[in-house]
Amino acid sequence: VTLDLYSTAAEVAGYLGHTERMEKCYKEVLDQDDRPMSDKLRVYNAMISYMAGALGKPHDATELLVTILAEYGIRFPNRKGSRLVSTVSGALKAKRRISSIRLEDIANMSLMEDPVHLETMRLLDQLFLAAYLAKSDLMPLAVFASARLTLEHGLSEYSGTAFASLALLLGAALGDTKL
């Protein structure tokens, strides 16, 4: 109950622009080392929205999302050169993987049900937006990860964005408009 109260207080303080109170509530929740990451996600979500929106710091939101996603097993390269290599190889792998998939195959996919995978997809969707706003080279990597999770674990409410973004990226990067 206390966790929910502090999480709600942090969200409300953020909406009202009470930065100090919001940060105090964040700290109260995040300093609970005995709580799993899943218990802290509500506060993290409020922080990410505040950073990317009201604060105008999408780069900070991107960094926080990368840290959170690492807890869920999604890791991204730290260096710019490594990210470029991962982007190129990710585009080629994605093109190869989806070239054999028909629209009917996607329409007949099962729904993603695992709460961890669903949360990971939501976080990747947030990373896509924050990275786009920050003009970060993480944006295509978030799209590739979302598409891969969808193909491996089923459709979610974020799959449409992942596939549409993937088509745009591959069209722009590889000139392939027949996806």
Side-chain angles (χ1 to χ4, degrees), residues 75-152:
R75 289 176 177 70
F76 299 100
N78 292 329
R79 289 199 216 122
K80 201 168 193 68
S82 298
R83 286 183 183 167
L84 178 60
V85 169
S86 291
T87 298
V88 171
S89 70
L92 294 173
K93 285 178 191 173
K95 180 178 173 30
R96 218 177 18 252
R97 188 154 188 198
I98 65 167
S99 66
S100 63
I101 297 174
R102 299 171 313 179
L103 282 177
E104 300 84 43
D105 297 333
I106 294 172
N108 293 325
M109 287 178 72
S110 62
L111 294 179
M112 187 180 294
E113 295 181 11
D114 183 312
V116 173
H117 292 131
L118 289 167
E119 184 60 33
T120 304
M121 287 292 289
R122 191 187 59 70
L123 290 166
L124 285 166
D125 190 67
Q126 285 184 304
L127 177 60
F128 168 76
L129 178 59
Y132 174 78
L133 293 172
K135 296 179 175 73
S136 169
D137 54 1
L138 284 168
M139 195 258 310
L141 298 177
V143 170
F144 299 147
S146 295
R148 181 180 46 76
L149 270 176
T150 296
L151 293 173
E152 290 173 2

Side-chain angles (χ1 to χ4, degrees), residues 148-168:
R148 181 180 46 76
L149 270 176
T150 296
L151 293 173
E152 290 173 2
H153 301 288
L155 297 170
S156 76
E157 65 184 284
Y158 306 103
S159 298
T161 303
F163 285 136
S165 301
L166 181 62
L168 285 171

